[in-house]
Amino acid sequence: MADLSQGSTAAEVLAYLRTHSSEENRKGMQRFGIKVERALGIPHGPQRDIARKIRRNHERAFELWESGIVEAQFIASATADPARFSADNARAWAATFDSWDIVDGVTNLFVDTEHWKALIAEFAEDEREFVRRAAFAMIAWASVHRKKEPDATFERLLPLIEKHAKDSRNFVKKAVNWALRQIGKRSMALHSPALALAEKLAASNDKSERWIGKDAMRELNNPKILERLAKRS
């Protein structure tokens, strides 16, 4: 990585990425349901290392995003400036989402912006599969990273989870489940209402709701999770 630095241009980063492409890794990504048409097959660990090496540069981040290369887009999201990243920027990037992995990587940036709550509400009502997934990935990330946010903010998101739990599309359903589990693991105060919703969904006649609820119940009733939450309270 000696050839990359904070001053590296987008062209230099892209050239570096292309020299580290791996067809074997691309095949491995496919086995996890990741679309690889735009991917070079570089694991997330090295991508994060590159992002740390080149550091934040908002303009370069947009150049990397425009390349269309998945790894470059992940690095773009890790090196853009959240304070300068607008809601319209988020909408434009979300409109190109075509695989769960890019959604889950990029929404980490979205929750660091001041627009995150409005974007969750907006994206949740969007019928596009990966845009809706983005809403619930954002809830999951925010539950972990927005440590100063009051628990009440996340409790108010539970009805949104319930509303869209009937969406049976695989990548939406799994993100709704992820969001519910992360809210329930955020604090003891949130564990109870999240578990109550999981139990309600688990008893549903709807197949998607039932899967989300049962899976969330398993994790939220895990003794290790309960022990960790008890120590925090």
Side-chain angles (χ1 to χ4, degrees), residues 44-117:
H44 279 294
Q47 292 177 52
R48 285 190 286 268
D49 290 341
I50 292 169
R52 282 192 289 268
K53 186 78 172 179
I54 66 174
R55 305 181 72 176
R56 185 167 290 168
N57 182 311
H58 198 63
E59 288 72 22
R60 183 185 58 205
F62 279 82
E63 292 181 59
L64 291 172
W65 182 269
E66 289 301 320
S67 73
I69 297 170
V70 171
E71 289 86 351
Q73 292 186 329
F74 176 83
I75 293 167
S77 72
T79 56
D81 183 354
R84 298 173 60 191
F85 197 83
S86 70
D88 282 340
N89 292 151
R91 294 182 186 106
W93 286 22
T96 71
F97 288 162
D98 60 357
S99 189
W100 67 264
D101 62 311
I102 192 66
V103 174
D104 296 1
V106 172
T107 48
N108 219 342
L109 164 65
F110 292 2
V111 300
D112 285 339
T113 73
E114 63 181 14
H115 323 289
W116 68 282
K117 294 177 190 176

Side-chain angles (χ1 to χ4, degrees), residues 185 218-232:
K185 293 188 294 180
R218 274 193 294 273
E219 183 160 8
L220 296 180
N221 283 320
N222 185 309
K224 291 183 179 179
I225 299 295
L226 294 170
E227 181 181 357
R228 188 170 76 240
L229 289 173
K231 287 180 179 178
R232 288 183 193 168

